[in-house]
Amino acid sequence: MKKILLLSDTHSHIDDTILKYVNQADEVWHAGDIGDLNVTDTIKKIKPLRAVYGNIDDAKARLEFPLNNRFMCENVSVWITHIGGYPGKYNPSIREEMALNPPKLFICGHSHILKVMFDKKNNLLHMNPGAAGKSGFHQMRTMLRFVIDDDKIKDLEIIEIGKK
């Protein structure tokens, strides 16, 4: 069983509230637009981190993190990318792979809109944690936390960090 903290779009911002939740997780996953790598360096000092780079991330972030991160967590196949779209409107760059080899859990960021929905066509759970940073049009800073237990994704919580 693993407790996961999922965040995205920090845009160089990390604070004590985010770190409080980092400390409570077994692993932290970041769905891109990290900004300053101080964000991920700080998280990595506390907990294991899986991340992807986003469209605002520089060459250093692109050297450290992939565009797509596919892995197994317990018995759940996971795919994290920054600009992924959502069920019925996936980004053209991933549509073919999604049709041929869908994960059980698909995660993206980019939109700054928190969204969790089941994709019946691809039989997967789609998550976007919204934005944990202070840059962008969103009003409320958000993250998600959940548990992966064997092949089950459960105990999903929305974390509202506060207004930006």
Side-chain angles (χ1 to χ4, degrees), residues 8-31:
S8 186
D9 296 275
T10 48
H11 292 263
S12 302
H13 180 79
I14 190 148
D15 58 30
D16 289 341
T17 304
I18 294 171
L19 293 175
K20 175 181 94 171
Y21 289 100
V22 167
N23 277 300
Q24 295 170 6
D26 295 322
E27 286 187 14
V28 178
W29 299 350
H30 195 303

Side-chain angles (χ1 to χ4, degrees), residues 64-84:
E64 185 164 346
F65 301 107
L67 173 63
N68 293 290
N69 194 346
R70 292 198 75 158
F71 57 92
M72 292 296 292
C73 180
E74 299 273 314
N75 285 310
V76 172
S77 59
V78 180
W79 181 355
I80 304 175
T81 194
H82 183 61
I83 303 176

Side-chain angles (χ1 to χ4, degrees), residues 25-45:
D26 295 322
E27 286 187 14
V28 178
W29 299 350
H30 195 303
D33 276 4
I34 298 159
D36 188 323
L37 287 182
N38 177 55
V39 170
T40 48
D41 290 345
T42 301
I43 292 169
K44 284 192 296 187
K45 287 177 186 167

